[in-house]
Amino acid sequence: MDARLQHITRLYEKFKECSASEAEIDEFFDLIKNPENLEILKNSMSEEWEESSRSSVQRSPLIWEDIQLQIRRKKALERKKVLERRDLRYKWTAAASILILIVLAMVIFLSGSSDSYETYATGYGQVEKIVLDDGSQVTLNANSMLKWNRNWNEVGKRQVVLEGEAFFDVVTIGDDVSGEKVGFEVVTADLTIQVTGTSFNVKSRTSKTDVFLQTGQVILDLNEKPAPDSKETSERIIMNTGESVSYSAVTQSLEKSQSDQYGNASWMAGTFMFSKMPVYEILQSLEEIYGVSFEVKDQSILERQLTTNLPYSDWPIVESGLELLLQADLISVDGKIIINKKE
């Protein structure tokens, strides 16, 4: 084993064990950006990959774990500096589905003029932290849009319309006249979330909405009644701390978990966390965040289920990690990223 391979392997092992320093983490990322170094690391890991491939549910030898979680959190927070943005010009970065457009248009029409709404938007690979004028904080993930009703004092309730993904930390406030708590609603194409003061993550993409409740209690008002084979039969669901729900108004499919299985907020700590997730869903998530498009030559890759983490970082770093994760070569051709299984 030559000196360079020894050095890369040593950094890789410290990386897996979460014992690497910040400087060593940065050095490791820089090294694997180099295709030659990446190839060296792939070859040295061949035995680990072969052992992993014998399991139906695979866990990547390259665990992009917390890796000095405080370091990652610090870097994530640096990307999400508080910004009270006014009069932000919204640009569509991708065409929304007809269903989402209809639902969002109806919500705005029924609630008042579009002039009463303030719009926030992020592009691919961007994360913004917003402070609403009621004091609530919203972290808006990449490729997302949020509309906030500025006239909430007049209408007697706080309301946002979300397309994409966001983490909410809602403050509890009382009405000046009645003294009662002023409600807070998050409206998506599939459901409405009713809260007073709590923290939760909402992901509304690809014709479904995922909700993970970190603290407090919320009520979900579903736009359509769940399918008959669902364990839940009501159009209203009460969620408690630590629970997650995934629901599609299109298919009426409803899933509920006592953990963060659906809509987890790992991206807030600077990482993507995937648990027993098919590769095609992992790729879909990355397409939504980074605006890339994948084409997979070997369809057997798509059905593999993986449990692993990837860093929420610049695309070149994520791309390098994805190559290691899939044991594949990623090649850009005519605006698409072709994934070829490594021979």
Side-chain angles (χ1 to χ4, degrees):
M1 183 180 293
D2 62 28
R4 181 167 54 163
L5 176 56
Q6 284 182 333
H7 184 58
I8 296 174
T9 303
R10 182 181 65 83
L11 290 175
Y12 162 64
E13 293 298 335
K14 295 187 72 173
F15 190 81
K16 281 201 305 179
E17 297 166 1
C18 297
S19 61
S21 66
E22 181 174 5
E24 288 172 327
I25 292 171
D26 290 337
E27 183 183 5
F28 180 64
F29 282 161
D30 288 339
L31 284 171
I32 63 175
K33 288 179 185 178
N34 185 315
E36 184 178 349
N37 292 334
L38 189 61
E39 192 67 23
I40 290 174
L41 183 58
K42 287 180 183 178
N43 292 335
S44 70
M45 291 166 57
S46 59
E47 292 183 3
E48 288 186 82
W49 286 119
E50 290 173 3
E51 181 179 350
S52 173
S53 64
R54 288 192 284 269
S55 172
S56 59
V57 177
Q58 299 167 24
R59 185 171 182 87
S60 166
L62 182 62
I63 308 298
W64 302 83
E65 287 286 8
D66 295 335
I67 312 167
Q68 303 287 337
L69 183 56
Q70 295 302 322
I71 296 173
R72 287 287 166 232
R73 182 176 290 116
K74 179 181 177 182
K75 289 188 175 182
L77 290 175
E78 287 175 354
R79 293 197 306 271
K80 300 176 285 188
K81 294 180 179 179
V82 176
L83 181 62
E84 294 187 65
R85 305 184 305 172
R86 298 291 184 232
D87 300 320
L88 176 67
R89 184 177 63 177
Y90 173 62
K91 295 181 179 179
W92 283 99
T93 53
S97 70
I98 294 177
L99 172 64
I100 292 177
L101 285 174
I102 292 174
V103 171
L104 297 185
M106 287 180 62
V107 169
I108 295 173
F109 176 76
L110 294 173
S111 301
S113 167
S114 60
D115 292 338
S116 67
Y117 280 80
E118 185 159 6
T119 302
Y120 302 88
T122 53
Y124 291 121
Q126 295 178 339
V127 175
E128 296 292 349
K129 192 163 187 177
I130 304 159
V131 179
L132 303 177
D133 58 17
D134 72 332
S136 298
Q137 296 187 35
V138 182
T139 306
L140 196 61
N141 204 354
N143 186 27
S144 299
M145 181 270 288
L146 184 81
K147 287 182 178 289
W148 163 247
N149 190 341
R150 292 176 292 192
N151 296 338
W152 59 272
N153 262 322
E154 299 175 14
V155 299
K157 66 178 179 182
R158 299 170 288 172
Q159 184 186 75
V160 296
V161 181
L162 174 68
E163 179 188 338
E165 184 171 15
F167 185 87
F168 295 84
D169 191 354
V170 178
V171 298
T172 301
I173 59 175
D175 185 89
D176 294 337
V177 178
S178 66
E180 296 181 354
K181 293 180 179 178
V182 179
F184 190 107
E185 291 183 351
V186 180
V187 179
T188 75
D190 302 288
L191 50 80
T192 297
I193 306 166
Q194 297 185 20
V195 304
T196 51
T198 184
S199 57
F200 54 97
N201 192 73
V202 184
K203 180 181 180 182
S204 182
R205 305 187 195 270
T206 59
S207 299
K208 70 173 183 176
T209 297
D210 298 332
V211 182
F212 167 62
L213 181 58
Q214 181 168 295
T215 61
Q217 185 181 81
V218 300
I219 298 174
L220 306 184
D221 288 326
L222 309 182
N223 289 355
E224 300 288 343
K225 191 172 182 178
D229 59 351
S230 173
K231 294 181 181 179
E232 297 282 348
T233 59
S234 172
E235 294 180 22
R236 171 166 285 199
I237 297 174
I238 298 176
M239 289 182 64
N240 296 306
T241 298
E243 293 181 340
S244 62
V245 166
S246 180
Y247 177 69
S248 170
V250 175
T251 64
Q252 296 176 292
S253 172
L254 174 67
E255 300 289 341
K256 190 174 182 181
S257 173
Q258 300 298 314
S259 67
D260 65 350
Q261 181 176 353
Y262 309 109
N264 74 74
S266 63
W267 61 276
M268 288 284 290
T271 185
F272 296 112
M273 184 175 67
F274 304 110
S275 177
K276 297 181 180 179
M277 183 174 288
V279 169
Y280 72 85
E281 290 190 18
I282 294 176
L283 297 181
Q284 185 179 65
S285 295
L286 296 177
E287 285 180 337
E288 293 166 351
I289 294 297
Y290 292 101
V292 296
S293 179
F294 296 104
E295 181 177 322
V296 182
K297 296 297 186 181
D298 187 342
Q299 296 299 301
S300 65
I301 293 177
L302 296 177
E303 299 303 323
R304 290 168 54 196
Q305 290 190 344
L306 297 174
T307 295
T308 191
N309 291 356
L310 284 171
Y312 192 163
S313 184
D314 295 334
W315 172 245
I317 292 177
V318 178
E319 185 177 30
S320 296
L322 195 60
E323 285 190 315
L324 289 169
L325 180 66
L326 301 179
Q327 310 165 64
D329 294 320
L330 273 63
I331 305 172
S332 296
V333 178
D334 297 330
K336 283 189 175 182
I337 298 177
I338 310 299
I339 299 179
N340 293 316
K341 191 174 182 179
K342 189 173 179 60
E343 299 296 335

